[in-house]
Amino acid sequence: MDKLKGAVDSAVGGKSSQPGNGIERSADKAANQQADNLGASAGVPAGQNDTIHKGLDSKINEKIPGGN
């Protein structure tokens, strides 16, 4: 188990926060960028991005264990 924790810590930068946080942040960022691109091509106003990001982040955070 310690070996697994060490591998996860290395993958997310050895931060003292919960091990899933770095992975979760990366997933949130990628999903938000994709949503921004799709929204822009569909004519969604950029002012709505924060609302869309909150919804996406919430769903991603449910799926990735160990994050916040």
Side-chain angles (χ1 to χ4, degrees):
M1 191 64 163
D2 289 337
K3 204 172 200 178
L4 177 60
K5 185 181 180 315
V8 170
D9 285 344
S10 293
V12 297
K15 297 182 172 110
S16 61
S17 61
Q18 295 173 325
N21 285 348
I23 296 166
E24 193 175 271
R25 251 189 312 278
S26 296
D28 288 346
K29 183 177 177 183
N32 290 339
Q33 287 175 340
Q34 190 80 15
D36 292 349
N37 292 340
L38 291 170
S41 50
V44 175
Q48 296 300 311
N49 286 349
D50 283 343
T51 303
I52 295 167
H53 292 177
K54 286 178 186 174
L56 282 172
D57 294 352
S58 171
K59 289 297 181 183
I60 290 168
N61 296 351
E62 290 174 6
K63 300 291 182 188
I64 297 177
N68 14 345

